[in-house]
Amino acid sequence: MSAAFTPVGRERQGVRPAQPVAGPIPLRARHGWPRRHVLPAVLLLLALPVAAQTSGAAPAAQHHRAVAAVTIANTAVPAKVDFANVSLFPRFWRVYQPWHVPALNLANPQALDRAAQNGTINLSLHRVIALALADNLDIATADYERLFAQADQMRTKGGAAARGVSGAVSTTSLFSGAIGASGGIGGGASTGGAGGVVGGGGGLRALGGGLSDPQLNFFFSDEHSKSPLNSPVIYGTPISEVNQTVGGASFTQGFATGTSISVSGVGVRQYINSNELFFNPELISSVSLGIGQNIFPGGFNSVANRAFLIVAENNRHVADAVFRQKVIQTVAQAAEQYWDLAELQQEVRVARQTSRYAGQLLADTRQLVARGKAPESQLIEVESQSTTLRQNELTLQTQAQQQATKLKLYLVRDWSPAVIAARLRTTEELPSPQGPPNLSEQAVIQEALRNRPEIQEDRYNLKTRELEAKVTGIALQPTLQVGASISASGLSGLQVNCAVNQFPCPASELRAPLPGGITQAFTQSLHVTYPDYAVGFSLAVPLVNHVGRADHATAELQLAQERVVIRNQENKLAQQVDSDLIALDGAVAKLQDVNASRQLAEQALANAKAKYQMGATTVFTVIDAQKALLQLQTAAIQARADYAKAQIKLAEATGTILSQYHVQLRAPRRAQLAAPSRRGGPLAPVNWSIPPLAGANH
């Protein structure tokens, strides 16, 4: 199934950058923030409104239109995963059929291919994020971990251990046979000892066990044997010939309470060439029921019986966190790559404009030299400057093309020839700050601790370590299992009918045998005519228990280590947030300073041009002023790009970038990219946002 993709918003061209804020912008003090309240921050990567920035444009309200939510599915992941939907009814045979991954769509979306074939792909930031969610193969790879977690949960429901997923801790201490593993129920089919030459009890049918899938067992055999006998006393014949048919069925299941049950039924038909038997052929039946229970360790409600189920559930949350982190990283990287490309394309435009002016200056200088109003040396200097500027433009064009290839990797599934040849064009201008980034450092750190997937991942791993320590502690107890069973046998067949009260019956006194069959045998079993009761227990008392104590010690140490890991992760996260806040402050300060200097350089170049036209100065003054302005224009573009990426870094560090870009992760393999609301999205404890998406309400 192809990804559902709809370009959202209006592609904007010719947008002028916002004017810098007048006056000095107060920056955060290095060692503290105002603690009175969290100021409404301006961490805005503004996608600048066309109406507000373009001369002669219509009112801003006319350029904003409501945008429907876009549901995007990454088709590199199966859209329909139903291997866990196991049901015996009505299509019971599905349980025995292999499951195959549905066909994957690894082609590019049709809209993207059409744009690539036209030669130019126009990209807004919104469209970049939408394509990354739908097409990025790193996101698809991470999404498979969630499917692995689903399979693991299914596996643990059958009593097996979870295999684990990426990011989850390994619970090796839980793999001992006494914890969570399926114990032998011991309730297999048995004839119960009925019939034959001597009777006998069937023995205890079940002891305690762990969780296991229900299972039906059927068996059948037909046998003929002939063997010599050492004495004719028992069977009355020197050669024994036996024809025997055996058939039966049994049902077994273990439960998370540590309980196991076993139900079995067996039927036997046996003929022996002997007149020393009451029934020949004889029909033997046996029905048995066994129940077992773990008492120590575990008991009815202990977590030891459900350890693997709990681990699998924790791992599912870990897989969700790992997937969310990959989406956050990919969205942040795609946005940064977009702004890097926008920066280079804007630098190319500035370099091209400067080259054109240098060409005009060269033409003017040639005229002045021809009229004798300027020396030949000035013409050489202007020609050298024009060549340098042209080379700079070519260098920037090359860098922009290389940057476009980096961005393409986030947006496509298939590196097709059309995609390779296509040109990317960004349609949004680099943002400028609209106010001071006054944010409470502590508030932002707390926001990060609430939202960062790595912290959530570590907390679920901590739950698993706590479970492991608890279960291995329980496992130090002696092992006690109890069980009880009841069996009933039946015996029927063609009964010897003798005219005299003598056994064995003389051949001359034999009459027609009395009829009997398997029905009579099983009737005796069901009425418990010949019962067999059994109770018992199994107690294992380790005297030293080196293995169990070592496993428990390891689990406790791993739990302590996990607590250290979480604190270390929180400290690193706080440092990262602090560093990103500093980078944001520096980007704003740099942009403010560059904008002020650029305005002065523009005025200086205008003055130099005027004086040069009047012959009041040399061309060298104009060239120097032009160089200075070009450097400041480039620095301003770079400062705005740094500002944009600093905000993305901070949004990524706090784990809020998805909500800021209005990306909602839903069920596995699904994500929704919604348009921002007029209120700017969901409320958050720290009220700041990064760029409203192009063409959306805000």
Side-chain angles (χ1 to χ4, degrees):
M1 183 182 68
S2 61
F5 172 75
T6 304
V8 179
R10 184 187 301 271
E11 304 289 359
R12 295 181 294 169
Q13 306 177 21
V15 180
R16 297 189 314 212
Q19 297 300 318
V21 178
I25 298 178
L27 299 181
R28 174 179 68 94
R30 176 64 188 90
H31 298 289
W33 288 90
R35 294 295 189 263
R36 296 187 300 274
H37 54 81
V38 179
L39 297 178
V42 186
L43 235 166
L44 294 174
L45 273 178
L46 279 196
L48 305 174
V50 176
Q53 303 300 330
T54 306
S55 60
Q62 299 178 9
H63 287 269
H64 298 306
R65 54 190 175 88
V67 182
V70 180
T71 300
I72 300 170
N74 196 315
T75 58
V77 184
K80 183 180 180 181
V81 179
D82 57 356
F83 60 80
N85 298 330
V86 179
S87 176
L88 288 177
F89 302 101
R91 294 181 293 176
F92 65 88
W93 59 86
R94 292 182 58 193
V95 178
Y96 315 109
Q97 292 178 335
W99 180 81
H100 300 286
V101 177
L104 304 179
N105 180 7
L106 297 179
N108 294 322
Q110 295 181 359
L112 182 66
D113 273 342
R114 285 196 299 268
Q117 290 169 1
N118 292 334
T120 300
I121 303 175
N122 294 322
L123 293 174
S124 65
L125 184 58
H126 183 281
R127 192 180 186 190
V128 165
I129 295 173
L131 287 171
L133 291 172
D135 301 339
N136 186 263
L137 297 182
D138 287 335
I139 291 179
T141 301
D143 204 359
Y144 276 94
E145 290 295 330
R146 300 203 290 178
L147 300 181
F148 298 154
Q150 289 184 24
D152 250 8
Q153 276 193 299
M154 184 178 178
R155 176 181 170 83
T156 57
K157 290 178 181 178
R163 297 185 184 276
V165 295
S166 176
V169 294
S170 176
T171 55
T172 54
S173 298
L174 296 182
F175 293 159
S176 61
I179 304 174
S182 297
I185 296 177
S190 169
T191 62
V197 179
V198 294
L204 184 62
R205 293 293 191 275
L207 286 176
L211 180 65
S212 64
D213 281 332
Q215 181 171 322
L216 279 173
N217 301 291
F218 300 93
F219 61 92
F220 174 84
S221 66
D222 186 59
E223 178 185 4
H224 171 76
S225 65
K226 185 175 182 179
S227 57
L229 298 177
N230 194 32
S231 171
V233 175
I234 297 178
Y235 289 102
T237 177
I239 298 175
S240 170
E241 293 186 22
V242 179
N243 293 326
Q244 179 174 277
T245 302
V246 181
S250 65
F251 172 83
T252 60
Q253 185 173 5
F255 301 91
T257 58
T259 307
S260 60
I261 64 171
S262 168
V263 180
S264 64
V266 182
V268 179
R269 183 186 186 280
Q270 181 175 272
Y271 170 80
I272 302 177
N273 62 329
S274 172
N275 61 351
E276 305 291 327
L277 303 173
F278 290 117
F279 300 95
N280 198 13
E282 62 177 341
L283 297 170
I284 307 169
S285 68
S286 175
V287 176
S288 63
L289 169 65
I291 300 178
Q293 176 64 47
N294 285 336
I295 304 300
F296 299 114
F300 286 95
N301 298 314
S302 173
V303 295
N305 297 323
R306 298 176 286 108
F308 289 154
L309 294 171
I310 299 172
V311 169
E313 178 65 18
N314 290 342
N315 288 352
R316 184 182 66 82
H317 289 290
V318 169
D320 287 342
V322 170
F323 173 68
R324 182 178 178 84
Q325 177 60 20
K326 177 55 67 174
V327 174
I328 287 175
Q329 290 177 350
T330 303
V331 168
Q333 291 169 359
E336 288 183 17
Q337 296 292 341
Y338 179 84
W339 290 125
D340 283 338
L341 181 59
E343 172 191 356
L344 287 168
Q345 289 184 348
Q346 191 165 341
E347 288 181 4
V348 168
R349 290 194 293 270
V350 170
R352 186 178 296 115
Q353 182 180 1
T354 305
S355 295
R356 285 198 297 266
Y357 174 75
Q360 183 62 43
L361 180 63
L362 178 60
D364 293 343
T365 303
R366 283 174 177 164
Q367 292 180 2
L368 292 174
V369 171
R371 294 198 300 266
K373 294 183 177 181
E376 188 74 22
S377 59
Q378 291 188 5
L379 179 60
I380 297 174
E381 180 66 23
V382 173
E383 287 178 342
S384 176
Q385 174 69 3
S386 179
T387 301
T388 300
L389 292 175
R390 178 57 182 164
Q391 291 176 347
N392 180 61
E393 179 185 353
L394 293 174
T395 299
L396 290 173
Q397 287 177 349
T398 301
Q399 293 175 351
Q401 291 173 357
Q402 291 175 329
Q403 179 59 34
T405 64
K406 296 179 181 179
L407 181 56
K408 287 177 185 178
L409 189 60
Y410 289 87
L411 310 181
V412 301
R413 301 189 209 106
D414 182 18
W415 203 260
S416 62
V419 168
I420 294 174
R423 174 178 175 269
L424 302 186
R425 187 174 68 86
T426 60
T427 60
E428 296 187 27
E429 292 289 336
L430 291 164
S432 293
Q434 302 300 299
N438 292 326
L439 292 173
S440 167
E441 184 179 53
Q442 291 302 319
V444 175
I445 290 175
Q446 291 303 315
E447 182 82 355
L449 293 176
R450 282 191 297 269
N451 296 322
R452 277 292 285 263
E454 300 99 313
I455 299 298
Q456 298 171 9
E457 175 186 335
D458 288 339
R459 287 170 181 166
Y460 277 106
N461 281 333
L462 179 63
K463 289 183 178 181
T464 299
R465 290 301 189 199
E466 290 172 345
L467 171 70
E468 190 174 15
K470 186 174 183 178
V471 171
T472 53
I474 294 174
L476 294 176
Q477 303 172 4
T479 301
L480 175 61
Q481 297 175 325
V482 297
S485 65
I486 178 172
S487 302
S489 302
L491 179 62
S492 184
L494 294 180
Q495 186 175 357
V496 174
N497 187 6
C498 189
V500 295
N501 188 16
Q502 182 180 348
F503 190 84
C505 184
S508 60
E509 301 297 332
L510 286 173
R511 300 290 186 269
L514 299 176
I518 194 65
T519 303
Q520 288 80 2
F522 270 105
T523 299
Q524 295 172 11
S525 296
L526 295 176
H527 285 82
V528 198
T529 306
Y530 306 104
D532 177 0
Y533 304 98
V535 294
F537 70 89
S538 172
L539 176 64
V541 182
L543 299 180
V544 180
N545 200 1
H546 287 103
V547 174
R549 294 182 64 81
D551 286 345
H552 180 57
T554 299
E556 287 287 347
L557 291 171
Q558 290 174 335
L559 174 59
Q561 182 187 47
E562 191 64 29
R563 291 194 175 106
V564 174
V565 168
I566 290 180
R567 176 54 60 87
N568 188 37
Q569 184 77 7
E570 291 174 345
N571 291 341
K572 289 181 177 180
L573 179 57
Q575 182 275 330
Q576 182 180 351
V577 170
D578 191 32
S579 177
D580 291 339
L581 284 170
I582 294 172
L584 182 64
D585 289 343
V588 173
K590 180 179 178 181
L591 185 56
Q592 177 191 2
D593 182 68
V594 168
N595 282 336
S597 300
R598 185 190 62 187
Q599 293 175 357
L600 295 176
E602 289 173 349
Q603 185 62 40
L605 179 59
N607 293 337
K609 288 180 183 178
K611 290 181 180 180
Y612 181 64
Q613 294 294 334
M614 294 185 298
T617 188
T618 65
V619 73
F620 299 108
T621 304
V622 177
I623 291 175
D624 290 341
Q626 186 183 44
K627 288 181 179 179
L629 178 59
L630 177 60
Q631 291 174 352
L632 289 172
Q633 286 176 327
T634 302
I637 294 171
Q638 293 173 348
R640 289 170 65 189
D642 291 342
Y643 171 69
K645 290 184 287 186
Q647 295 174 94
I648 294 174
K649 286 292 187 185
L650 184 57
E652 181 183 8
T654 57
T656 59
I657 190 170
L658 298 185
S659 61
Q660 297 299 333
Y661 280 129
H662 305 276
V663 176
Q664 299 176 357
L665 299 184
R666 295 182 180 270
R669 304 162 311 285
R670 292 286 180 182
Q672 184 181 45
L673 183 64
S677 67
R678 292 185 181 273
R679 294 179 179 269
L683 296 177
V686 180
N687 184 22
W688 58 277
S689 90
I690 55 179
L693 301 177
N697 296 338
H698 65 283

